[in-house]
Amino acid sequence: MRTTEATARRSENAKRGTDLEPADEREPGTGQDRDGARDRATGQGRVAGQERIAERLLRSTAARSYDPELDINWAAPPEPDKVFLPPHRSSLYGTPLYERLSPQQRRELGKHEAASVAGTGIWLEFILLRLLAKLAYHGDPASRHVQYALAEMAEECRHSTMFARLIEWMGTPGYRPPRLVQRLGKMLPTVAYGPAMWGAILIGEELTDRYQREMVTDESVQPLIRMVNRIHIMEEARHIGFARAELARSAAQLSRAELPYHRALIGRTAYIVARNLISPEVYRSVGLDPDYAHRVALANPAHQATIRFGGEKIVAFLTEAGLVGAPGMYWWRKSYLLP
Ligand SMILES: [Fe+2]
Ligand SMILES: [Fe+2]
């Protein structure tokens, strides 16, 4: 109920909406914190370090989380003079094909591209839920570590519902990656562990996070979309902090023989995420042939720069962790994520 204390707090958070990058949630992700270095030295210390980070994130979750059902006014119609996606992030931006579209068609295409990112986001969160469930299944429920994984799963469930409602609000089809990619995604929780698992999680979370951060302060964008982004950024800051700390810890324990497997899996995942955010089907919304427009988009330097922009931070982080390299380079190069 709206009158409960928790709801009042959430609404207050939603109105405030300024503390988008709580430093305490990003800090452990660097993998360079003193606690982390000490914790890696001993198994016992490692567990203590994990528990400390999980405890802090659980406290943050209790203090700052949202219920998009209550915190977003889904009854508000789209504003006629606002866009759904900044034009320079449209996959055809700058091409002769884009120039030939009317302003209304460009706005419509942006709406379908935003819906495609939301649809792929839901698909990624379904995979993420299975990866986190795997961690919880094998862990100790009495640990703060597993309890934080459960708290993160609860947030991801709400995010998926929020993105689903966003698609419903925009009135577009629910875009999804192609069948083969869906099948590969289904296999990931079975084959990924340690650095490959956390790397896959981070690629999914950090790419979308970068676009959302850019849009949240852009007043030409629909206010409802900015609010969705604000909620997601705030909660993902914790998830990214958790995953970065876990990746750093698990990468430090990796043997030389295991490294190629993790690099290959991370490279393949990076390619899949980067190349499936925009479904070729979106081009039908403005009367373009999906195959042709998709080819134009892939060859478009502005679109390639957009993909690179999305991956800038996570690629630097994974490179520093030694996880970008052979035999994954074929997929990294094809992903357009490399600088
Ligand atoms: Fe999420
Ligand atoms: Fe997340």
Side-chain angles (χ1 to χ4, degrees):
M1 275 175 66
R2 277 209 167 268
T3 49
T4 65
E5 198 183 315
T7 303
R9 188 199 67 226
R10 279 198 298 267
S11 298
E12 196 44 48
N13 280 341
K15 267 183 263 151
R16 196 170 66 243
T18 50
D19 43 353
L20 291 180
E21 192 170 16
D24 61 333
E25 283 140 27
R26 282 283 189 164
E27 175 248 327
T30 61
Q32 292 164 346
D33 51 314
R34 267 186 299 136
D35 285 349
R38 192 176 58 234
D39 298 337
R40 278 191 292 281
T42 65
Q44 218 177 20
R46 191 169 60 243
V47 172
Q50 282 181 322
E51 287 296 274
R52 224 173 8 249
I53 290 170
E55 172 69 36
R56 182 170 53 200
L57 294 174
L58 276 166
R59 272 206 307 271
S60 168
T61 306
R64 272 192 303 242
S65 58
Y66 295 94
D67 183 347
E69 292 292 322
L70 301 173
D71 293 327
I72 293 178
N73 179 13
W74 297 104
E79 294 190 13
D81 58 337
K82 306 271 179 182
V83 296
F84 297 85
L85 186 80
H88 72 286
R89 293 299 173 208
S90 189
S91 58
L92 295 178
Y93 181 78
T95 63
L97 211 52
Y98 194 74
E99 297 307 315
R100 285 202 291 274
L101 297 177
S102 70
Q104 288 78 11
Q105 283 179 312
R106 291 177 191 171
R107 186 172 176 273
E108 185 68 10
L109 177 61
K111 182 167 85 177
H112 286 258
E113 288 177 310
S116 173
V117 174
T120 302
I122 293 172
W123 172 72
L124 287 168
E125 287 189 333
F126 289 165
I127 298 171
L128 197 71
L129 282 167
R130 287 187 56 205
L131 290 167
L132 290 167
K134 184 170 143 178
L135 183 152
Y137 187 89
H138 293 288
D140 173 7
S143 70
R144 306 303 271 159
H145 189 66
V146 167
Q147 288 162 19
Y148 180 70
L150 294 171
E152 185 169 323
M153 287 171 75
E155 283 182 342
E156 296 298 13
C157 282
R158 290 198 297 273
H159 293 171
S160 293
T161 308
M162 174 171 77
F163 292 139
R165 288 212 68 170
L166 175 64
I167 293 167
E168 188 189 344
W169 179 79
M170 291 193 290
T172 63
Y175 295 105
R176 298 192 71 141
R179 247 174 234 284
L180 170 68
V181 173
Q182 288 187 40
R183 272 206 294 275
L184 291 173
K186 218 155 106 176
M187 281 162 55
L188 191 71
T190 312
V191 297
Y193 67 94
M197 171 175 143
W198 296 110
I201 288 175
L202 283 167
I203 289 163
E205 292 186 328
E206 294 208 26
L207 251 75
T208 42
D209 187 65
R210 281 222 95 194
Y211 302 127
Q212 290 180 332
R213 280 174 187 272
E214 185 184 54
M215 284 167 76
V216 82
T217 51
D218 185 340
E219 293 192 354
S220 70
V221 174
Q222 296 285 344
L224 187 140
I225 292 185
R226 292 172 63 203
M227 187 60 204
V228 165
N229 290 350
R230 178 168 287 125
I231 290 175
H232 201 240
I233 292 165
M234 188 88 74
E235 297 185 342
E236 288 300 320
R238 285 190 285 268
H239 304 181
I240 292 170
F242 186 61
R244 280 190 168 213
E246 286 301 309
L247 184 136
R249 242 178 272 280
S250 57
Q253 295 170 280
L254 210 60
S255 72
R256 284 180 74 87
E258 287 173 292
L259 190 59
Y261 177 76
H262 288 262
R263 282 179 172 174
L265 211 52
I266 288 175
R268 188 76 171 100
T269 306
Y271 168 82
I272 286 174
V273 174
R275 295 282 290 268
N276 283 284
L277 287 176
I278 305 295
S279 164
E281 294 301 310
V282 299
Y283 304 114
R284 287 190 202 279
S285 67
V286 288
L288 297 174
D289 175 65
D291 291 335
Y292 175 66
H294 181 57
R295 277 199 303 277
V296 171
L298 286 182
N300 178 13
H303 182 51
Q304 292 175 10
T306 288
I307 294 177
R308 242 186 344 268
F309 166 79
E312 212 170 25
K313 290 193 173 176
I314 183 58
V315 169
F317 177 76
L318 292 172
T319 303
E320 206 185 311
L323 292 163
V324 178
M329 293 313 289
Y330 169 79
W331 296 110
W332 276 109
R333 272 191 292 273
K334 281 182 60 140
S335 73
Y336 299 123
L337 283 164
L338 294 181

